[in-house]
Amino acid sequence: MQYFVQQLINGLTLGSIYGLIAIGYTMVYGIIGMINFAHGDIFMVGAFTALIVFLILGALLYSVPVVVALLIMMIVAMLLTSLYNWTIEKVAYRPLRGSFRLAPLITAIGMSIALSNFVQVTQGPRNKPIPPLVSQVYTINGISISLKQIIIVIVTIILLAIFWYLVNRTALGRAQRACEQDRKMAALLGIDVDRTISITFIMGAALAAVAGTLFLMYYGVVVFSDGFVPGVKAFTAAVLGGIGSLPGAVLGGLLIGFIESMWSAYFSIDYKDVAAFSILAIVLIFLPSGILGRPEVEKV
């Protein structure tokens, strides 16, 4: 039982990171119906930005409290990745918004490759480690819970609550939901559709940057290819939970994290990805819209 609970905690931590990335996918898809496949690489850029900020802080200042260092790393990563995603949306996606559906998809894949290669050229192809930022571990009845796991879960809960409030209780959220239902009608009612979509991309990038910072803190290493696999799994989490639903994205991330953790603990770790995608296929057979997704209604 102790081993089982330990794996649940590990799965909760991993799933929280997937959930934060998945929210960015589900927000963009909910408004413009497009999968931003460069979102995983935005997450990776956020992790590298946090790494660079950490190195600069270490070089300029003799000692910085861990809380302050993490906060600065998150803020700078959020600002830089938001700028990246805003630029990508404005330059690569907006001109293709009215074209056939495959064009933005192909462009998104191209932007993903461009970001990955850009980081590979500028930062090198090798793993970039950092010393442990948070090392405290608490043991309760033989179950180990690290402080960094607690930080990841708490940050995920806080951000989910904030973004749920923004989407459901603010003027920006009403504009986003209006654009989700009908962009042309929203424009006729005075909503700046381009601005709303750009802000949505910025919000998704900020969450991906937080996830990248937490990923760096948790694993202590990052490499240029780290955007692909977490990005695909976060997209899987968004589909599993019901793409277009913020709680569904986090729920899907948690389920993927639990499946990977349990499969790695009790079966072969080599097949954990197979298990995760198999569960996705089974769920979608019975729930095509995802666990918390709403079925699409055809407009007449």
Side-chain angles (χ1 to χ4, degrees):
M1 179 58 69
Q2 290 177 343
Y3 186 67
F4 177 79
V5 174
Q6 185 70 65
Q7 297 310 314
L8 279 179
I9 294 171
N10 295 338
L12 178 64
T13 306
L14 183 60
S16 297
I17 294 175
Y18 289 154
L20 284 176
I21 309 171
I23 291 176
Y25 277 113
T26 202
M27 289 181 71
V28 170
Y29 182 85
I31 290 183
I32 63 175
M34 184 196 112
I35 300 299
N36 179 17
F37 277 112
H39 191 67
D41 294 279
I42 291 292
F43 154 80
M44 177 268 297
V45 169
F48 264 98
T49 304
L51 170 67
I52 293 170
V53 171
F54 173 79
L55 296 176
I56 292 173
L57 288 174
L60 296 179
L61 303 173
Y62 179 72
S63 64
V64 181
V66 174
V67 175
V68 176
L70 278 174
L71 192 59
I72 294 173
M73 289 161 64
M74 276 188 193
I75 292 173
V76 176
M78 290 168 71
L79 291 174
L80 186 62
T81 54
S82 296
L83 179 61
Y84 268 113
N85 226 24
W86 177 80
T87 305
I88 289 172
E89 190 277 329
K90 191 174 181 64
V91 173
Y93 298 158
R94 187 179 298 180
L96 299 173
R97 199 177 294 158
S99 62
F100 68 103
R101 294 182 66 89
L102 282 179
L105 177 64
I106 295 169
T107 305
I109 295 173
M111 292 307 305
S112 172
I113 296 171
L115 279 174
S116 178
N117 287 349
F118 170 73
V119 174
Q120 181 183 10
V121 170
T122 56
Q123 301 299 321
R126 296 183 179 179
N127 292 348
K128 304 293 183 181
I130 65 169
L133 292 175
V134 181
S135 56
Q136 291 94 325
V137 178
Y138 308 101
T139 303
I140 305 172
N141 296 328
I143 300 168
S144 298
I145 304 175
S146 65
L147 181 57
K148 56 189 176 184
Q149 289 177 316
I150 297 172
I151 291 173
I152 290 172
V153 173
I154 290 175
V155 169
T156 301
I157 293 172
I158 292 173
L159 288 178
L160 175 62
I162 291 172
F163 275 73
W164 182 89
Y165 179 82
L166 285 174
V167 171
N168 291 280
R169 294 289 187 268
T170 65
L172 172 61
R174 286 192 293 273
Q176 289 174 324
R177 284 181 280 123
C179 292
E180 176 185 358
Q181 293 179 9
D182 194 323
R183 293 204 300 273
K184 290 183 179 178
M185 183 59 69
L188 289 173
L189 293 174
I191 294 173
D192 191 336
V193 174
D194 288 340
R195 177 176 171 271
T196 303
I197 292 175
S198 294
I199 292 175
T200 304
F201 271 83
I202 289 171
M203 292 167 66
L207 283 171
V210 173
T213 306
L214 296 176
F215 177 89
L216 179 68
M217 178 194 71
Y218 188 61
Y219 290 104
V221 65
V222 65
V223 67
F224 77 96
S225 58
D226 275 342
F228 178 72
V229 174
V232 170
K233 289 180 180 177
F235 170 62
T236 304
V239 175
L240 181 62
I243 197 156
S245 167
L246 298 189
V250 176
L251 176 61
L254 293 176
L255 287 175
I256 296 292
F258 288 141
I259 293 167
E260 284 193 13
S261 179
M262 291 300 173
W263 190 273
S264 301
Y266 294 101
F267 303 98
S268 172
I269 194 173
D270 297 328
Y271 295 97
K272 64 176 183 177
D273 294 339
V274 176
F277 289 110
S278 298
I279 296 295
L280 169 69
I282 294 170
V283 170
L284 292 181
I285 288 172
F286 297 100
L287 296 170
S289 301
I291 297 172
L292 299 182
R294 293 168 297 179
E296 281 193 22
V297 178
E298 289 291 333
K299 297 186 179 80
V300 184

